[in-house]
Amino acid sequence: MSGPAILAFLISYLLGSIPFGLILTRLSGKGDIRDIGSGSIGATNVLRTGSKGLAAATLLFDAAKGAVAVLLAQRLWPDAVPVAAAGALIGHLYPVWLRFKGGKGVATLLGILVPLLPMAALVYAVVWIGLFLVVRISSVAGMTAAASAPVSAVVLNQPALFPLLLGFAVLVIWKHRANVGRLIAGSEPRVGRAKA
């Protein structure tokens, strides 16, 4: 890997590793988000604090860090854009500051897609929001949205991005493996309803 690619990865990893869910909940006096619900630092778990505003802010900031990482690479290291995108997502999923226990990557992947492949980002958002509103299960909406990214790359005639986005989708789904187990068992909670 070249020097610029290594630099792009490291900067993007550091951006991606900023745990906005944890920071925002602590600043607002909600305590440690890792002690609530699923223990994740993402927007869905932040919502379990009862604050829709904090959850929305977490979602926006988590998406923004992915977008900023790609935009920086596009401007400074164009050949390292895929590496930067990977750094941002990996940083969110496995932040060094939290002993590599991060979020599940749904919002950050959306942010990555916005500058990387805007139409795929639109499809991703529509799938995520639409499915969430229908089934009210965050994990189902998030995993399906992630799976839409490599499909969009093919449909939009961007085959070079397919392996990268497929890898991202696999990572996001892997981080949801506990949710998959609960879905199979029929115990995955719906947002807005009490846990079974």
Side-chain angles (χ1 to χ4, degrees):
M1 192 182 293
S2 68
I6 293 171
L7 184 60
F9 179 85
L10 290 176
I11 290 174
S12 298
Y13 176 86
L14 292 174
L15 277 171
S17 69
I18 301 171
F20 284 112
L22 178 63
I23 293 169
L24 291 172
T25 49
R26 279 187 169 171
L27 288 176
S28 66
K30 298 286 187 181
D32 192 329
I33 189 61
R34 295 170 296 178
D35 296 330
I36 299 169
S38 67
S40 173
I41 61 171
T44 300
N45 204 42
V46 172
L47 186 60
R48 295 188 177 104
T49 66
S51 175
K52 292 180 181 178
L54 277 180
T58 300
L59 191 156
L60 289 173
F61 279 118
D62 280 349
K65 66 189 183 183
V68 168
V70 173
L71 286 168
L72 275 176
Q74 286 175 335
R75 185 173 181 83
L76 301 175
W77 312 286
D79 292 338
V81 168
V83 175
L89 185 62
I90 293 169
H92 179 77
L93 300 178
Y94 303 104
V96 64
W97 329 110
L98 304 180
R99 297 182 181 178
F100 303 103
K101 295 179 181 178
K104 295 177 180 176
V106 178
T108 302
L109 179 51
L110 173 61
I112 287 168
L113 287 172
V114 170
L116 186 66
L117 194 57
M119 281 303 298
L122 178 61
V123 171
Y124 187 106
V126 169
V127 169
W128 185 12
I129 295 168
L131 198 52
F132 177 79
L133 291 175
V134 171
V135 302
R136 307 297 295 183
I137 301 177
S138 179
S139 60
V140 171
M143 287 188 289
T144 306
S148 78
V151 175
S152 291
V154 173
V155 173
L156 295 169
N157 196 29
Q158 296 291 330
L161 290 176
F162 176 79
L164 180 72
L165 297 181
L166 179 61
F168 288 175
V170 169
L171 279 172
V172 170
I173 292 169
W174 170 252
K175 289 290 286 187
H176 281 84
R177 60 194 183 279
N179 303 85
V180 173
R182 289 192 295 271
L183 285 166
I184 292 170
S187 60
E188 180 76 339
R190 296 176 187 270
V191 174
R193 298 186 188 178
K195 215 176 201 178

